[in-house]
Amino acid sequence: MTASSPTAPAGTSPVGGPALPQQRRLVTEIPGPRSVELQTRRTAAVSSGVGGTLPVFITAAGGGVLVDVDGNSLIDMGSGIAVTTVGNAAPHVVSRVQEQVAAFTHTCFMVTPYAGYVEVCEALNRLTPGSHEKRSALFNAGAEAVENAVKIARAYTKRQAVVVFEHGYHGRTNLTMGMTAKNMPYKQSFGPFAPEVYRVPLSYPYRDRLDAKDALRRAITRIDKEVGATNVAAIVIEPIAGEGGFIVPAQGFLPGLAEYAQANGIVFVADEIQTGFARTGDWFACDHEGVVPDLITTAKGIAGGLPLAAVTGRAQIMDAVHTGGLGGTFGGNPVACAAALGAIATMEESDLPATARHIESVMVPRLRAMAEKSGRIGDIRGRGAMLAVELVIPGSDEPDPAATSAVAAACHTQGVLVLTAGTYGNVLRFLPPLSIPEHLLTEALDVLEQAVLTA
Ligand code: PLZ
């Protein structure tokens, strides 16, 4: 089948599933009256600590659209934060999940195992960078995978320190919150944080103007002088900083860091939770520079929308933990594993890394043209279908979070869901499902351009 082509004809859903018309269609204001009603109930029932980007309540989604309770059809440029890479309700995911859910829903892999878990681990071991012998372990969410990668690295090295980076994001549990750079909204009032986490400067070419060599020297000097290489269990880095603003380090930074880790007996952990699984135009973002991490954490796009996460890595590291040291009641749930096998099959059959590269080739020239006209776009960056613009005060590199919120809000009103990001809150990020038809991508860019030019 030809699932997930961005060139599918207008008006059809390229992924099947709910056969939703592939169109932007507004029949009420955004949010409409039914969403407003549900929002009132939400406020009375749901903790206000849980945030929200756009209060339209969704009833169906697929291809490149989200359909709300008022009948509005919005263009999805967020994929539920980089999750529905294969599209919402993708046919292979739906059929495998339906089969699995009717057969059995849970046994706990640590109690009585099932083949789906093993098959997902086999797929991860095969697809992740490097041809060395690997093992995987499955968990529920990204933060849990990162925590477990740290546990494994500590058990293997018998060291404690964890090195992370400025602008990094790794989750909301206590350890991963401490590993995350940005205070608001993730950390404010939630301390104290776990010890032995050390933050060093990232390579951020737009802002630091350093090449890889100088950025590396800066980071490594900090590790050597302030932590001591022999104390470091793991260096944990996102190959493209996601929540931090889609920051792509200078070419050579990641390979240099991996080399330093190897030379000093440090486990090099790539957090590919946001970048992984075809999103950046290759299977993993590390692939672009041929970097082979010791451990890699994945989640989000792995299972087409069901909660699943993994740590994959060198057999001798993954097997250094005592038996029973890793696990959890739900980790690698059979329904989530079935979804992952369906999502991975879709990515392989439809060559979704190529689709992501095509999306980049459509979007980047349009974003460049916008930058020429507007003066507000300081930087355009990212890879594949993980792209962003950094908005600044024209004529400077001063971050402009107010304009960023205004542009996002204008897009939302016009039925285009975009997300923001960035340490300074001034990044508009684009993470369309790879099942988006090209005419919707183009239309989203038209709406965005209008919003940027009038902000
Ligand atoms: N590592 C690189 O991007 C999740 C966070 C959304 P979980 N990013 C989206 C929010 O505001 O909570 C993420 C990530 C990277 C780890 C995580 C954590 O993954 O599945 O949200 O726990």
Side-chain angles (χ1 to χ4, degrees):
M1 64 177 258
T2 55
S4 311
S5 156
T7 50
T12 64
S13 168
V15 289
L20 298 175
Q22 293 297 299
Q23 60 182 15
R24 179 172 65 109
R25 182 163 167 266
L26 300 182
V27 295
T28 69
E29 281 176 17
I30 299 292
R34 291 202 168 123
S35 278
V36 170
E37 211 180 295
L38 279 162
Q39 183 65 16
T40 307
R41 281 170 56 192
R42 170 186 167 144
T43 306
V46 180
S47 164
S48 60
V50 182
T53 300
L54 175 57
V56 296
F57 285 72
I58 301 305
T59 54
V65 298
L66 301 160
V67 176
D68 75 10
V69 284
D70 291 287
N72 298 299
S73 175
L74 289 80
I75 303 176
D76 182 11
M77 294 293 280
S79 298
I81 323 186
V83 171
T84 52
T85 303
V86 293
N88 244 299
H92 284 349
V93 173
V94 171
S95 63
R96 289 191 193 228
V97 164
Q98 279 172 342
E99 231 168 78
Q100 180 59 50
V101 85
F104 66 96
T105 47
H106 174 83
T107 63
C108 186
F109 188 75
M110 302 185 303
V111 178
T112 48
Y114 36 89
Y117 187 116
V118 178
E119 287 168 26
V120 171
C121 292
E122 286 169 348
L124 282 161
N125 298 348
R126 173 169 60 83
L127 292 166
T128 50
S131 55
H132 50 280
E133 194 177 344
K134 294 176 206 156
R135 304 276 188 271
S136 292
L138 304 183
F139 305 97
N140 300 292
E144 211 188 333
V146 174
E147 290 237 16
N148 277 281
V150 170
K151 283 162 65 172
I152 294 163
R154 283 177 170 161
Y156 174 72
T157 58
K158 305 193 168 45
R159 301 173 179 179
Q160 293 188 348
V162 177
V163 169
V164 293
F165 290 81
E166 284 171 3
H167 311 287
Y169 182 92
H170 300 288
R172 293 177 182 264
T173 58
N174 184 265
L175 175 61
T176 59
M177 198 172 31
M179 292 169 69
T180 291
K182 193 174 174 177
N183 180 50
M184 272 302 270
Y186 310 120
K187 301 167 79 166
Q188 176 67 33
S189 78
F190 296 149
F193 305 114
E196 291 303 319
V197 174
Y198 300 90
R199 191 175 316 289
V200 303
L202 182 67
S203 160
Y204 189 163
Y206 173 61
R207 295 205 169 270
D208 64 26
R209 309 275 168 201
L210 298 181
D211 63 12
K213 201 164 126 272
D214 288 343
L216 259 178
R217 188 182 305 128
R218 182 175 64 173
I220 288 172
T221 304
R222 284 279 290 276
I223 301 171
D224 279 337
K225 301 301 168 200
E226 296 183 17
V227 193
T230 55
N231 297 316
V232 180
I235 294 175
V236 184
I237 187 165
E238 303 163 81
I240 299 175
E243 303 303 309
F246 287 18
I247 303 161
V248 185
Q251 186 157 351
F253 185 78
L254 291 171
L257 212 55
E259 221 169 87
Y260 169 79
Q262 195 187 17
N264 290 282
I266 299 168
V267 176
F268 184 76
V269 184
D271 180 347
E272 292 241 19
I273 286 163
Q274 191 152 167
T275 50
F277 285 102
R279 175 55 57 187
T280 65
D282 213 327
W283 274 91
F284 296 93
C286 278
D287 290 325
H288 294 285
E289 288 191 79
V291 170
V292 177
D294 297 312
L295 299 180
I296 175 167
T297 56
T298 52
K300 289 190 184 281
I302 189 177
L306 272 80
L308 188 70
V311 182
T312 299
R314 294 185 191 281
Q316 76 268 27
I317 301 177
M318 293 295 293
D319 288 342
V321 180
H322 54 280
T323 300
L326 304 177
T329 306
F330 289 118
N333 167 273
V335 182
C337 286
L341 294 170
I344 291 167
T346 306
M347 291 180 200
E348 293 199 286
E349 276 173 27
S350 307
D351 191 5
L352 288 196
T355 305
R357 293 194 295 275
H358 179 69
I359 288 174
E360 177 177 354
S361 76
V362 172
M363 289 191 67
V364 168
R366 288 287 310 269
L367 296 174
R368 288 214 179 102
M370 271 178 231
E372 264 164 38
K373 283 190 220 163
S374 124
R376 274 187 191 284
I377 296 179
D379 195 24
I380 300 164
R381 56 181 182 247
R383 284 190 202 278
M386 181 173 183
L387 299 171
V389 293
E390 184 163 341
L391 298 195
V392 293
I393 309 284
S396 77
D397 62 4
E398 193 64 35
D400 195 344
T404 310
S405 304
V407 171
C411 289
H412 296 167
T413 309
Q414 293 301 312
V416 176
L417 178 65
V418 295
L419 303 176
T420 58
T423 300
Y424 313 109
N426 67 326
V427 174
L428 286 168
R429 58 172 155 170
F430 312 110
L431 291 161
L434 303 189
S435 52
I436 192 169
E438 191 162 327
H439 74 275
L440 286 187
L441 198 60
T442 308
E443 194 174 332
L445 287 161
D446 295 341
V447 170
L448 175 72
E449 177 162 342
Q450 193 59 31
V452 169
L453 295 180
T454 54

